[in-house]
Amino acid sequence: DVKVTQSSRYLVKRTGEKVFLECVQDMDHENMFWYRQDPGLGLRLIYFSYDVKMKEKGDIPEGYSVSREKKERFSLILESASTNQTSMYLCASSFGESGANVLTFGAGSRLTVL
Amino acid sequence: SQKIEQNSEALNIQEGKTATLTCNYTNYSPAYLQWYRQDPGRGPVFLLLIRENEKEKRKERLKVTFDTTLKQSLFHITASQPADSATYLCALSSGGYNKLIFGAGTRLAVHP
């Protein structure tokens, strides 16, 4: 069964802490994505990567950075967490560059920043 | 700016009836439209994809329509079951690298 695995389901951090959210996929997909999901706002794209060491900003990249050193792993980094970054974070992957390809999501990481 | 609208109010229906969910968009010309299902505390799961040149797509009890003139997609679940209760998200893409734009989703509750 193909999978996107997010290492942490629930995290509680303090304001100003550095936070790492890890995502691993076992499908040999080229593309990987980080979204955040907030009530009433839907999924908003933070960053995506279409190849190792490549990254592109999404719609809301401020306050975040990413790292993709290996094809299967895509990390989201909050350099200095703030309370407005409390959210559900979803990692996804897909194959190829056609807009017809679908996303496979992880189970999500719920981050609370106090 | 691009906008996708899904009914924010929950849709409550009786088991066995057909559920119809709506996705409207503005300032956008998508080539593809996808529907996902999301259960509480879980990531979305892909259900169906329809292309701009397709009017309708079916999969078992699911049917999606795509009207590029009205800028609207309808998602139907026939013979609905309590297990169909979930939030359903529509997502649009205009092309490469799957830069999908998602709606906020509509919660469906199917009552026995």
Side-chain angles (χ1 to χ4, degrees):
Chain A
D1 193 19
V2 294
K3 277 188 179 170
V4 175
T5 303
Q6 295 183 230
S7 56
S8 303
R9 290 298 313 275
Y10 301 94
L11 304 93
V12 179
K13 298 292 182 180
R14 298 207 173 272
T15 301
E17 280 193 80
K18 191 169 186 176
V19 181
F20 292 88
L21 299 179
E22 302 284 341
C23 176
V24 177
Q25 51 97 2
D26 64 1
M27 296 168 282
D28 202 34
H29 282 172
E30 291 95 338
N31 311 316
M32 295 189 75
F33 307 81
W34 276 106
Y35 288 87
R36 65 175 282 177
Q37 185 175 31
D38 301 287
L41 295 179
L43 277 74
R44 292 180 290 167
L45 182 62
I46 304 171
Y47 268 97
F48 68 101
S49 168
Y50 52 86
D51 201 353
V52 175
K53 296 192 186 294
M54 303 298 288
K55 61 184 179 183
E56 294 280 343
K57 292 180 180 179
D59 300 316
I60 51 165
E62 295 78 20
Y64 303 95
S65 62
V66 291
S67 172
R68 191 157 181 211
E69 296 296 318
K70 293 185 178 182
K71 188 176 185 180
E72 67 271 18
R73 188 178 298 269
F74 193 35
S75 301
L76 180 69
I77 303 152
L78 288 66
E79 293 289 342
S80 178
S82 62
T83 54
N84 63 11
Q85 292 178 310
T86 292
S87 186
M88 169 71 100
Y89 290 88
L90 290 161
C91 175
S93 70
S94 72
F95 173 76
E97 61 179 89
S98 166
N101 293 324
V102 304
L103 299 185
T104 301
F105 283 89
S109 298
R110 184 165 294 282
L111 172 66
T112 301
V113 183
L114 302 175
Chain B
S1 62
Q2 298 165 348
K3 196 172 180 182
I4 302 173
E5 290 185 343
Q6 295 186 255
N7 195 335
S8 59
E9 293 184 9
L11 178 63
N12 291 282
I13 64 167
Q14 285 298 120
E15 183 175 8
K17 301 290 186 185
T18 296
T20 299
L21 289 79
T22 305
C23 176
N24 295 298
Y25 59 92
T26 56
N27 298 324
Y28 202 54
S29 297
Y32 308 94
L33 189 147
Q34 302 182 21
W35 283 88
Y36 289 76
R37 169 185 172 139
Q38 186 174 24
D39 293 289
R42 311 299 296 181
V45 174
F46 169 75
L47 295 174
L48 279 170
L49 177 146
I50 188 166
R51 293 170 168 77
E52 62 179 336
N53 60 352
E54 297 175 315
K55 292 250 188 270
E56 182 179 298
K57 201 77 160 296
R58 291 175 184 261
K59 179 183 175 183
E60 298 172 352
R61 293 185 296 111
L62 309 180
K63 184 178 85 171
V64 173
T65 63
F66 192 9
D67 188 326
T68 55
T69 301
L70 290 179
K71 295 186 180 295
Q72 180 181 79
S73 173
L74 298 179
F75 178 79
H76 305 273
I77 305 175
T78 58
S80 59
Q81 305 165 1
D84 295 325
S85 298
T87 296
Y88 291 85
L89 308 172
C90 75
L92 309 179
S93 169
S94 60
Y97 296 118
N98 277 134
K99 287 184 69 175
L100 282 174
I101 300 174
F102 282 84
T106 297
R107 189 162 61 85
L108 171 66
V110 181
H111 302 283

